[in-house]
mmCIF file of all heavy atoms in Angstrom:
data_model
loop_
_atom_site.group_PDB
_atom_site.id
_atom_site.type_symbol
_atom_site.label_atom_id
_atom_site.label_comp_id
_atom_site.label_asym_id
_atom_site.label_seq_id
_atom_site.Cartn_x
_atom_site.Cartn_y
_atom_site.Cartn_z
ATOM 1 N N SER A 70 0.243 9.688 -19.263
ATOM 2 C CA SER A 70 -0.403 10.842 -19.878
ATOM 3 C C SER A 70 -1.521 10.356 -20.782
ATOM 4 O O SER A 70 -1.384 9.304 -21.430
ATOM 5 C CB SER A 70 0.613 11.650 -20.686
ATOM 6 O OG SER A 70 -0.020 12.701 -21.390
ATOM 7 N N ASP A 73 -1.154 10.748 -26.760
ATOM 8 C CA ASP A 73 -0.131 10.161 -27.605
ATOM 9 C C ASP A 73 0.280 11.252 -28.590
ATOM 10 O O ASP A 73 -0.484 11.610 -29.476
ATOM 11 C CB ASP A 73 -0.678 8.933 -28.338
ATOM 12 C CG ASP A 73 0.375 8.265 -29.198
ATOM 13 O OD1 ASP A 73 1.554 8.666 -29.104
ATOM 14 O OD2 ASP A 73 0.042 7.349 -29.973
ATOM 15 N N ASN A 75 0.051 14.650 -29.302
ATOM 16 C CA ASN A 75 -0.897 15.625 -28.771
ATOM 17 C C ASN A 75 -2.343 15.217 -29.027
ATOM 18 O O ASN A 75 -3.241 16.051 -29.038
ATOM 19 C CB ASN A 75 -0.646 17.008 -29.382
ATOM 20 C CG ASN A 75 -0.724 16.968 -30.904
ATOM 21 O OD1 ASN A 75 -0.636 15.906 -31.502
ATOM 22 N ND2 ASN A 75 -0.889 18.128 -31.516
ATOM 23 N N ASP A 88 -11.445 15.620 -13.520
ATOM 24 C CA ASP A 88 -11.873 15.638 -12.122
ATOM 25 C C ASP A 88 -10.948 16.526 -11.286
ATOM 26 O O ASP A 88 -11.407 17.260 -10.401
ATOM 27 C CB ASP A 88 -11.875 14.212 -11.554
ATOM 28 C CG ASP A 88 -13.005 13.379 -12.130
ATOM 29 O OD1 ASP A 88 -13.985 13.969 -12.621
ATOM 30 O OD2 ASP A 88 -12.903 12.131 -12.110
ATOM 31 N N GLN A 92 -12.179 19.944 -9.386
ATOM 32 C CA GLN A 92 -12.017 19.997 -7.940
ATOM 33 C C GLN A 92 -11.185 21.204 -7.519
ATOM 34 O O GLN A 92 -11.529 21.906 -6.562
ATOM 35 C CB GLN A 92 -11.357 18.703 -7.459
ATOM 36 C CG GLN A 92 -11.124 18.656 -5.962
ATOM 37 C CD GLN A 92 -10.402 17.394 -5.532
ATOM 38 O OE1 GLN A 92 -10.047 16.559 -6.359
ATOM 39 N NE2 GLN A 92 -10.186 17.254 -4.229
ATOM 40 N N GLN A 120 -14.822 12.060 -30.948
ATOM 41 C CA GLN A 120 -16.032 11.349 -30.545
ATOM 42 C C GLN A 120 -15.922 10.866 -29.096
ATOM 43 O O GLN A 120 -16.866 11.012 -28.308
ATOM 44 C CB GLN A 120 -16.259 10.161 -31.474
ATOM 45 C CG GLN A 120 -17.459 9.300 -31.098
ATOM 46 C CD GLN A 120 -17.575 8.065 -31.963
ATOM 47 O OE1 GLN A 120 -16.777 7.868 -32.877
ATOM 48 N NE2 GLN A 120 -18.558 7.229 -31.698
ATOM 49 N N MET A 122 -14.018 12.119 -26.735
ATOM 50 C CA MET A 122 -14.006 13.277 -25.841
ATOM 51 C C MET A 122 -15.419 13.835 -25.658
ATOM 52 O O MET A 122 -15.832 14.176 -24.540
ATOM 53 C CB MET A 122 -13.066 14.353 -26.386
ATOM 54 C CG MET A 122 -12.930 15.569 -25.491
ATOM 55 S SD MET A 122 -12.200 15.192 -23.889
ATOM 56 C CE MET A 122 -10.524 14.821 -24.385
ATOM 57 N N VAL A 172 -3.288 29.870 -43.193
ATOM 58 C CA VAL A 172 -4.599 30.453 -42.911
ATOM 59 C C VAL A 172 -4.911 31.431 -44.038
ATOM 60 O O VAL A 172 -4.166 32.397 -44.265
ATOM 61 C CB VAL A 172 -4.611 31.179 -41.550
ATOM 62 C CG1 VAL A 172 -5.973 31.817 -41.299
ATOM 63 C CG2 VAL A 172 -4.259 30.211 -40.432
ATOM 64 N N GLY A 189 9.826 20.062 -28.215
ATOM 65 C CA GLY A 189 10.693 20.268 -27.068
ATOM 66 C C GLY A 189 11.088 18.986 -26.357
ATOM 67 O O GLY A 189 12.176 18.892 -25.786
ATOM 68 N N ALA A 227 20.952 29.087 -33.658
ATOM 69 C CA ALA A 227 22.017 29.732 -34.435
ATOM 70 C C ALA A 227 21.462 30.196 -35.774
ATOM 71 O O ALA A 227 20.709 29.467 -36.440
ATOM 72 C CB ALA A 227 23.173 28.753 -34.647
ATOM 73 N N PHE A 254 25.405 18.603 -5.129
ATOM 74 C CA PHE A 254 26.332 17.599 -4.619
ATOM 75 C C PHE A 254 26.375 17.728 -3.106
ATOM 76 O O PHE A 254 25.949 18.730 -2.532
ATOM 77 C CB PHE A 254 27.734 17.784 -5.217
ATOM 78 C CG PHE A 254 28.452 19.006 -4.740
ATOM 79 C CD1 PHE A 254 29.370 18.937 -3.701
ATOM 80 C CD2 PHE A 254 28.203 20.251 -5.311
ATOM 81 C CE1 PHE A 254 30.017 20.069 -3.249
ATOM 82 C CE2 PHE A 254 28.847 21.384 -4.870
ATOM 83 C CZ PHE A 254 29.761 21.293 -3.828
ATOM 84 N N GLN A 269 42.162 6.910 11.112
ATOM 85 C CA GLN A 269 43.554 6.477 11.073
ATOM 86 C C GLN A 269 44.328 7.039 12.261
ATOM 87 O O GLN A 269 45.164 6.347 12.868
ATOM 88 C CB GLN A 269 44.202 6.934 9.764
ATOM 89 C CG GLN A 269 45.586 6.362 9.503
ATOM 90 C CD GLN A 269 45.538 4.867 9.269
ATOM 91 O OE1 GLN A 269 44.512 4.332 8.876
ATOM 92 N NE2 GLN A 269 46.643 4.202 9.514
ATOM 93 N N ILE A 356 61.647 -0.571 17.557
ATOM 94 C CA ILE A 356 60.322 0.022 17.800
ATOM 95 C C ILE A 356 59.244 -0.925 17.277
ATOM 96 O O ILE A 356 58.402 -0.557 16.443
ATOM 97 C CB ILE A 356 60.191 1.414 17.157
ATOM 98 C CG1 ILE A 356 61.459 2.221 17.367
ATOM 99 C CG2 ILE A 356 59.026 2.180 17.743
ATOM 100 C CD1 ILE A 356 61.416 3.571 16.688
ATOM 101 N N GLU A 357 59.331 -2.153 17.697
ATOM 102 C CA GLU A 357 58.343 -3.144 17.333
ATOM 103 C C GLU A 357 57.416 -3.386 18.506
ATOM 104 O O GLU A 357 57.797 -3.171 19.667
ATOM 105 C CB GLU A 357 58.993 -4.469 16.931
ATOM 106 C CG GLU A 357 59.619 -4.447 15.553
ATOM 107 C CD GLU A 357 60.065 -5.830 15.138
ATOM 108 O OE1 GLU A 357 59.858 -6.766 15.930
ATOM 109 O OE2 GLU A 357 60.603 -5.957 14.052
ATOM 110 N N PRO A 368 53.885 -22.842 35.253
ATOM 111 C CA PRO A 368 52.832 -22.953 36.267
ATOM 112 C C PRO A 368 52.945 -21.863 37.301
ATOM 113 O O PRO A 368 54.012 -21.287 37.524
ATOM 114 C CB PRO A 368 53.077 -24.334 36.879
ATOM 115 C CG PRO A 368 54.476 -24.656 36.559
ATOM 116 C CD PRO A 368 54.784 -23.998 35.249
ATOM 117 N N ALA A 404 50.557 9.205 5.542
ATOM 118 C CA ALA A 404 50.374 10.602 5.146
ATOM 119 C C ALA A 404 48.898 10.955 5.132
ATOM 120 O O ALA A 404 48.040 10.117 4.859
ATOM 121 C CB ALA A 404 50.982 10.847 3.765
ATOM 122 N N PHE A 419 29.611 22.027 -18.325
ATOM 123 C CA PHE A 419 30.015 23.094 -19.228
ATOM 124 C C PHE A 419 29.191 22.959 -20.507
ATOM 125 O O PHE A 419 29.332 21.977 -21.247
ATOM 126 C CB PHE A 419 31.514 23.003 -19.526
ATOM 127 C CG PHE A 419 32.389 23.407 -18.385
ATOM 128 C CD1 PHE A 419 32.559 22.567 -17.296
ATOM 129 C CD2 PHE A 419 33.034 24.633 -18.370
ATOM 130 C CE1 PHE A 419 33.358 22.926 -16.226
ATOM 131 C CE2 PHE A 419 33.837 25.008 -17.308
ATOM 132 C CZ PHE A 419 34.001 24.148 -16.236
ATOM 133 N N LEU A 420 28.334 23.938 -20.737
ATOM 134 C CA LEU A 420 27.438 23.917 -21.893
ATOM 135 C C LEU A 420 28.064 24.749 -22.999
ATOM 136 O O LEU A 420 28.065 25.980 -22.931
ATOM 137 C CB LEU A 420 26.063 24.460 -21.505
ATOM 138 C CG LEU A 420 25.379 23.770 -20.323
ATOM 139 C CD1 LEU A 420 24.092 24.474 -19.974
ATOM 140 C CD2 LEU A 420 25.133 22.301 -20.633
ATOM 141 N N GLY A 421 28.580 24.081 -24.014
ATOM 142 C CA GLY A 421 29.194 24.758 -25.144
ATOM 143 C C GLY A 421 28.313 24.632 -26.376
ATOM 144 O O GLY A 421 27.265 25.277 -26.493
ATOM 145 N N ASN A 473 7.985 25.859 -27.767
ATOM 146 C CA ASN A 473 9.276 25.535 -28.377
ATOM 147 C C ASN A 473 9.777 26.626 -29.316
ATOM 148 O O ASN A 473 10.801 26.439 -29.984
ATOM 149 C CB ASN A 473 9.169 24.204 -29.135
ATOM 150 C CG ASN A 473 10.497 23.529 -29.315
ATOM 151 O OD1 ASN A 473 11.333 23.531 -28.413
ATOM 152 N ND2 ASN A 473 10.717 22.951 -30.493
ATOM 153 N N ALA A 513 -8.580 31.584 -26.414
ATOM 154 C CA ALA A 513 -9.791 30.808 -26.120
ATOM 155 C C ALA A 513 -10.692 31.561 -25.147
ATOM 156 O O ALA A 513 -11.931 31.534 -25.276
ATOM 157 C CB ALA A 513 -9.396 29.447 -25.541
ATOM 158 N N GLY A 538 -20.861 12.004 -31.822
ATOM 159 C CA GLY A 538 -19.804 12.619 -31.045
ATOM 160 C C GLY A 538 -18.705 13.249 -31.876
ATOM 161 O O GLY A 538 -17.989 14.138 -31.396
ATOM 162 N N LYS A 542 -18.744 21.965 -34.927
ATOM 163 C CA LYS A 542 -19.206 23.233 -35.486
ATOM 164 C C LYS A 542 -17.993 24.123 -35.702
ATOM 165 O O LYS A 542 -17.269 24.436 -34.755
ATOM 166 C CB LYS A 542 -20.206 23.918 -34.544
ATOM 167 C CG LYS A 542 -21.636 23.473 -34.745
ATOM 168 C CD LYS A 542 -22.589 24.361 -33.971
ATOM 169 C CE LYS A 542 -24.040 23.954 -34.235
ATOM 170 N NZ LYS A 542 -24.995 24.811 -33.508
ATOM 171 N N VAL A 549 -11.366 21.970 -39.611
ATOM 172 C CA VAL A 549 -12.378 21.830 -40.662
ATOM 173 C C VAL A 549 -13.092 20.505 -40.438
ATOM 174 O O VAL A 549 -12.444 19.449 -40.281
ATOM 175 C CB VAL A 549 -11.730 21.881 -42.057
ATOM 176 C CG1 VAL A 549 -12.776 21.655 -43.139
ATOM 177 C CG2 VAL A 549 -11.029 23.222 -42.254
ATOM 178 N N GLY A 571 -37.039 -19.027 -66.178
ATOM 179 C CA GLY A 571 -37.147 -20.303 -65.473
ATOM 180 C C GLY A 571 -38.551 -20.853 -65.506
ATOM 181 O O GLY A 571 -38.747 -22.057 -65.313
#
Side-chain angles (χ1 to χ4, degrees):
S70 175
D73 182 8
N75 57 342
D88 289 339
Q92 179 183 2
Q120 177 185 358
M122 183 63 70
V172 178
F254 70 97
Q269 189 67 24
I356 318 177
E357 284 188 1
F419 287 75
L420 305 175
N473 203 40
K542 273 190 177 181
V549 177

